[in-house]
Amino acid sequence: MRLLPNALGAIAGLCLMAAPAMAQQQAANAVLQTLDKITARVSTLTIPVGNKAWFGTLEIFVDTCQKRPPEETPESAAFLRIIDHRPQQEPVSAFNGWMFASSPALHPLEHAVYDVIVLDCK
C-alpha cells in the first residue's frame, strides 16, 4: 500500500507548486530532523539546496526547498531524494518526493532504522 502515500505526496506537492509565484520563496537551505531509532540519536541537519548530506547509511539530496511568506499560512516543503547505502548491498532508493513540515506523516520516509522530517526552509 505504498502507492497511496506516494500519490498523496505528489498531489500535495502539485497543490503547493500551483500557488501563485509570489506565494513561494525559494530557500537556500533545508533544515531536517533525523532520528536513529536504534540509538535514539536525534540530529538536526542543515543542507544547502542542490547539495547532499549523510546520516548513517542514508545519503540525502535536497533538490529544492520552498517556504510560504510570513503573511500566509506557515508551510515549508522540500523535495528530497534519499538513497540507502547498506553494507555489502547495492544502494536502494528509500525516498523520492516532497516532504512537508506541517504534515510529516503525509509523505514519510519508510525505513526500519531512520526517520527524516523537514523542519524548515531558510
Side-chain angles (χ1 to χ4, degrees), residues 2-70:
R2 188 162 161 78
L3 179 62
L4 184 58
N6 286 339
L8 291 174
I11 291 168
L14 289 173
C15 292
L16 180 67
M17 299 296 101
M22 296 303 291
Q24 301 296 320
Q25 297 175 346
Q26 179 67 29
N29 297 305
V31 181
L32 308 177
Q33 181 175 323
T34 57
L35 168 67
D36 182 326
K37 297 175 189 175
I38 294 173
T39 64
R41 180 178 63 141
V42 177
S43 304
T44 302
L45 300 176
T46 301
I47 307 171
V49 171
N51 290 327
K52 66 180 178 180
W54 286 86
F55 180 72
T57 62
L58 300 181
E59 184 178 21
I60 304 169
F61 295 89
V62 177
D63 289 331
T64 187
C65 197
Q66 297 190 354
K67 184 175 187 170
R68 289 187 184 157

Side-chain angles (χ1 to χ4, degrees), residues 2 35 37 55 58 60 80 82-84 93-96 99 104-105 107-117:
R2 188 162 161 78
L35 168 67
K37 297 175 189 175
F55 180 72
L58 300 181
I60 304 169
L80 305 176
I82 302 175
I83 299 171
D84 191 3
S93 177
F95 183 86
N96 188 19
M99 280 193 187
H107 197 204
L109 167 69
E110 295 177 10
H111 195 276
V113 178
Y114 304 111
D115 274 341
V116 175
I117 62 170

Side-chain angles (χ1 to χ4, degrees), residues 84-97:
D84 191 3
H85 295 270
R86 297 178 187 168
Q88 287 90 36
Q89 293 183 10
E90 290 292 317
V92 175
S93 177
F95 183 86
N96 188 19

